[in-house]
């Protein structure tokens, strides 16, 4: 798989996650079904979801820069380091999702973060 294809898959995954977080934020999805069932109020949910939306937008922005760098054959160590950090973040999130009280979050959240972690490693690693 090429890095460009891995990036396109990540764009799709993160786009879907962004839509998911907006659905939670606007209460189309009950907040007690997310965040491992640990949110206690709408205000707390709004804070967590705002943070999640901003993080996802940041990740998409970094991945867009990486994609443009690939098209232009320009390396960027800072972007690569950020993508390694994303890989670590998704890896840690995979373990966190394993403790979710919601079966959908347990299964789909774990699967998503595991795939995202693997894709980020693939995108960030140097060519041999």
């Amino acid at each position: 798989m090429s890095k460009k294809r891995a990036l396109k898959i990540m764009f799709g995954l993160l786009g879907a996650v962004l839509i998911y977080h907006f659905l939670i934020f606007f209460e189309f999805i009950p907040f007690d079904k997310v965040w491992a069932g640990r949110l206690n109020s709408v205000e707390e949910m709004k804070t967590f979801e705002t943070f999640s939306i901003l993080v996802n937008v940041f990740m998409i922005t970094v991945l867009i820069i990486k994609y443009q760098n690939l098209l232009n054959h320009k390396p960027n160590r800072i972007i690569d380091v950020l993508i390694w950090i994303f890989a670590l973040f998704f890896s840690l999130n995979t373990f966190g999702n394993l403790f979710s009280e919601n079966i959908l979050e347990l299964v789909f959240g774990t699967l998503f973060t595991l795939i995202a972690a693997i894709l980020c490693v693939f995108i960030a690693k140097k060519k041999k």
Side-chain angles (χ1 to χ4, degrees), residues 83-103:
I83 296 171
W84 279 111
I85 292 169
F86 297 164
L88 177 62
F89 169 77
F90 284 123
S91 297
L92 293 173
N93 240 353
T94 299
F95 291 109
N97 284 331
L98 290 172
F99 297 102
S100 176
E101 296 173 7
N102 180 294
I103 191 70

Side-chain angles (χ1 to χ4, degrees), residues 2 6 34 37 54-55 57-58 72 75 77-78 81 95 99 103 111 119:
S2 71
V34 295
L54 292 173
V55 167
V57 168
F58 175 71
N72 297 320
R77 288 182 65 84
I78 294 170
V81 167
F95 291 109
F99 297 102
I103 191 70
L111 184 61
L119 287 171

Side-chain angles (χ1 to χ4, degrees), residues 8 11 17 20 42 56 65-66 76 91 98 104 117 123:
K8 289 176 184 178
F11 292 140
V17 168
Y20 177 71
V42 172
N56 278 281
I65 293 168
K66 177 66 176 180
N76 187 323
S91 297
L98 290 172
L104 290 175
I123 291 165

